Amino acid sequence: MTAQIDRDRPIPGTTIFDGAVSRRGYRVNKLAMSLARAENRAAFAADEDAYLETHGLTEEERRAVRARDWRAVIEDHGGNIYMVIKIGAVVGHGLYQIGAHQRGESFETFLATRAASGAR
């Protein structure tokens, strides 16, 4: 079996979600997965700080989520993009808003790069 990742040819600015990142992101990703339940989304919306506290996030992880700093949630705290989207959905940030943030662009600039029907 060959490795799927060629570490001799990294893609600049790409975070590879591997086992080590998965372990680092356990708390953030578990929080995000909990938001699949309506009652948890309601609890998060009612008191975000309390909800983050109950999931054992570190202060840095909580700060990144509260600031909607998706890049930090992914790169620094091991968030998986599919999980981060769950958090974003609860706070009104969809995939395109998260993508714009990841690229350091405004939402409008990011949308201009999307050719998909209905992206605007």
Side-chain angles (χ1 to χ4, degrees):
M1 184 173 205
T2 61
Q4 292 182 358
I5 301 168
D6 183 352
R7 297 200 187 273
D8 293 330
R9 296 176 27 185
I11 299 170
T14 300
T15 300
I16 297 174
F17 191 81
D18 60 9
V21 174
S22 176
R23 286 185 294 282
R24 188 175 75 235
Y26 180 78
R27 289 178 301 275
V28 168
N29 294 316
K30 187 172 181 181
L31 159 81
M33 195 60 208
S34 76
L35 297 172
R37 299 183 62 144
E39 62 268 23
N40 293 341
R41 292 190 300 273
F44 182 91
D47 190 345
E48 186 173 325
D49 287 330
Y51 196 79
L52 295 175
E53 179 78 27
T54 65
H55 280 77
L57 273 67
T58 67
E59 181 52 39
E60 286 184 13
E61 291 164 341
R62 289 193 304 258
R63 190 176 312 122
V65 171
R66 284 191 306 259
R68 314 302 187 239
D69 187 348
W70 309 120
R71 182 178 290 170
V73 171
I74 292 170
E75 292 179 7
D76 300 337
H77 305 298
N80 178 292
I81 187 60
Y82 297 105
M83 297 296 112
V84 172
I85 289 170
K86 290 181 182 304
I87 300 169
V90 174
V91 300
H93 290 205
L95 179 60
Y96 289 163
Q97 287 91 348
I98 293 170
H101 181 86
Q102 289 291 97
R103 288 176 52 168
E105 296 176 348
S106 72
F107 181 61
E108 293 73 24
T109 300
F110 184 80
L111 279 184
T113 69
R114 306 294 95 186
S117 173
R120 292 178 176 79

